[in-house]
Amino acid sequence: MITNAKLAALFERMAQLLEVLGENRFKVAAFQRAARTLDGMTDQAHDLVDPGNPGDPGKPVDLSNLTAIEGIGKGLAEKIVELVTTGELQEYADLMAKVPAGVVDLLDIPGLGPKTIALFWQKADIYSLDKLKAALEGDALVDLPGVGKKKLDNLRKSIAFAESSGGRVRLGQALPVAAWFVDTLGAMKQARQIDCAGSLRRGRETIGDIDIIVAATEKDAAAVSDAFVKLEPVTEVLVHGPTKSSVRTGGDAGGMQVDLRVIDPKNYGAALLYFTGSKEHNIRLRQCAIDRGLHLNEYGLTKQSDNKLVAGKTEADVYKALELAWIPPELREDRDELNLAGQDKLPKLIELAEIKAELHAHTAASDGHWSIRELAHAAAERGFHTVAVTDHSKSQAQANGLDAKRLRAHIKDIHKVRDEMKDTITILAGSEVDILADGSLDYDDDLLAELDIVVASPHAGLSQPPAKATARLIKAIENPYTNIIGHPTGRIINRREGLSPDMPAIIDAAKAHGKTLEINAHHLRLDLRDIHARMAIEAGVKLAINTDAHAQSNLDELIYGILTARRAGATKKDVVNCMTASALKKWLART
Ligand code: DGT
Ligand code: CA
Ligand code: CA
Ligand code: ZN
């Protein structure tokens, strides 16, 4: 099925291509608007397509369900129908054919827009990343209109940063692909058990490759492997054997390697343990086995004396035979988990279902795609008792941030819905207030005082030096109206480094002032990152886990924030979103 997200990505890409080609800006804007609308829609456009009339193929397709969507005219509706019914779009193929493939690659470089790409292509004959990198070795491009020294410096930095990701993909890209493979193969009757392993199971923010482990008997192994290498997203088969296969994916699951291992059911737990890693955790475990006169490998735990199998069917069996509690995958990084497991003192890690409040979300008042009511209903459907409406502040002009007057009107609107829905969910009137470059907040104190909750976040000035960043964030923490520091560094995974403040100093300040640091669950952010969240917990600082939802689909990203928090060793006591409604209310009144 073509999801709204796929349609939106395609229209966004078409807008970029049109811009590169210097086409009419109204046409560009129409594609951009359609992309935004589709991205924020609750219904799937796919379901609104008229299936046609097979008995009468000449009968025109009814577009009215699609054209009823704001921002979708007849032309765009026809394109959606073409995509949904044929899986392709001729106009997209035509546009792609007009632009060299290397130029399309340039669109993926962060901070490099279509207009500049067009300029480089037309005026400097640059139509690939290699050519761009060569040109950036000197300052030749500085003479092009609108291209200053600073812009070129930024471009050099962002190319270097993107390349330093070393082909690792974000957790948020890999997890849905892995889940699809697990579901699809798991449906085979030969697959007795199936799990993700590797860094994905450990919830790391980026993934080198996807590892999948499946249990099947020896006679069924080949059937599972054969099915795997023939699955639709597979574009290249790197290895194909009955017990180990490895493929590369294309299309929406673009450019990922997936390793599959087929394991005899009696060794399944040992294999899952081994291939979940981390490698460092495995090495510790093996030493632990040796100390007990045992031997551990991917087939099981055996006695050194007579090679007899002691454990192997489940992970818990193996840990138990080593006198350890079962260790959650997110903690298997060779920190202190073996010690804690030996003393049965592992933290009871937070779970998705323990989150009862969303404290950072946007509506159409700024750059969200939904109303206060829609947000509140979606939060209530997830079983939340509280939701905070936190639209952007005035400095975020490109995100339609609210000035004082609009915020006051917005607070009134929020209160209206709050009163209307008071039996369903508690709605807080808040704001995501910009932390300006000097650490002051984007609204005056008297206005901040009218809000129930303040999430203070850095958005601009993210390349300032560490000492400035530290002073900036500490000043925001000291502001008496601040409740939560939102995405404290502003980093974007694989794309933007963000601020590099002195984290221990930030954590000290948060502790001293009783303030909370956010793990922003958006798959591009995961900010605080795991190691910093761990430092915060160890210092006794509370965390918030928020989705920063701009639309319904963002709420599903909460899982990435949870995985990050689990890697930090967080329990529900460490996370303000797990508080009861009354405790949360008290907390907000106090801070
Ligand atoms: P990635 O894919 O780079 O994000 O990280 P992982 O942890 O998924 O690593 P990967 O895919 O190379 O291997 C999966 C697991 O298999 C790894 O976490 C631990 C285990 N493993 C792989 N190679 C070795 C090894 O040489 N020694 C040990 N002890 N374990 C290994
Ligand atoms: Ca892996
Ligand atoms: Ca692997
Ligand atoms: Zn936000």
Side-chain angles (χ1 to χ4, degrees), residues 178-395:
W180 184 88
F181 274 97
V182 166
D183 286 350
T184 308
L185 286 176
M188 291 180 71
K189 63 177 187 308
Q190 293 94 335
R192 304 257 184 110
Q193 215 173 334
I194 186 161
D195 285 283
C196 267
S199 51
L200 189 73
R201 184 163 180 241
R202 304 197 311 277
R204 277 194 61 180
E205 65 188 36
T206 62
I207 306 300
D209 64 15
I210 294 172
D211 301 281
I212 297 173
I213 309 290
V214 56
T217 60
E218 204 179 328
K219 88 175 162 33
D220 286 340
V224 177
S225 302
D226 292 352
F228 170 65
V229 300
K230 289 195 195 109
L231 290 175
E232 193 224 84
V234 173
T235 49
E236 198 186 334
V237 179
L238 307 170
V239 181
H240 180 198
T243 58
K244 178 179 178 352
S245 300
S246 203
V247 300
R248 287 199 74 79
T249 61
D252 292 321
M256 271 182 255
Q257 183 177 322
V258 187
D259 292 348
L260 180 80
R261 283 170 183 92
V262 188
I263 310 289
D264 191 294
K266 72 174 184 300
N267 309 115
Y268 186 75
L272 181 59
L273 181 62
Y274 180 87
F275 292 110
T276 295
S278 66
K279 196 170 156 182
E280 293 71 19
H281 177 84
N282 289 352
I283 291 168
R284 289 271 172 204
L285 275 184
R286 204 171 315 147
Q287 189 56 49
C288 188
I290 291 168
D291 296 345
R292 287 168 172 73
L294 301 166
H295 178 76
L296 178 64
N297 62 21
E298 64 262 51
Y299 299 102
L301 190 64
T302 48
K303 276 207 186 115
Q304 276 174 13
S305 50
D306 57 7
N307 277 339
K308 245 184 86 186
L309 189 69
V310 177
K313 202 160 184 310
T314 72
E315 282 190 341
D317 291 347
V318 177
Y319 280 116
K320 195 166 170 221
L322 295 173
E323 295 166 82
L324 298 168
W326 179 82
I327 301 176
E330 295 90 339
L331 297 180
R332 300 182 194 171
E333 297 289 354
D334 186 25
R335 291 194 183 95
D336 54 353
E337 71 273 14
L338 253 56
N339 256 334
L340 293 173
Q343 305 168 47
D344 206 12
K345 283 188 179 154
L346 287 166
K348 191 181 171 317
L349 298 183
I350 183 171
E351 289 177 22
L352 191 65
E354 290 173 337
I355 297 285
K356 295 293 175 205
E358 170 61 61
L359 300 175
H360 177 175
H362 299 266
T363 70
S366 61
D367 62 345
H369 301 288
W370 51 358
S371 64
I372 301 165
R373 240 178 230 96
E374 286 168 325
L375 161 64
H377 277 293
E381 256 167 46
R382 273 165 213 252
F384 293 174
H385 55 63
T386 302
V387 62
V389 180
T390 59
D391 279 297
H392 285 290
S393 62
K394 64 178 189 295
S395 289

Side-chain angles (χ1 to χ4, degrees), residues 464-485:
Q464 65 188 170
K468 268 199 157 159
T470 306
R472 174 189 192 177
L473 291 175
I474 290 179
K475 189 166 168 193
I477 288 168
E478 287 169 350
N479 188 306
Y481 295 102
T482 299
N483 300 109
I484 296 172
I485 301 290

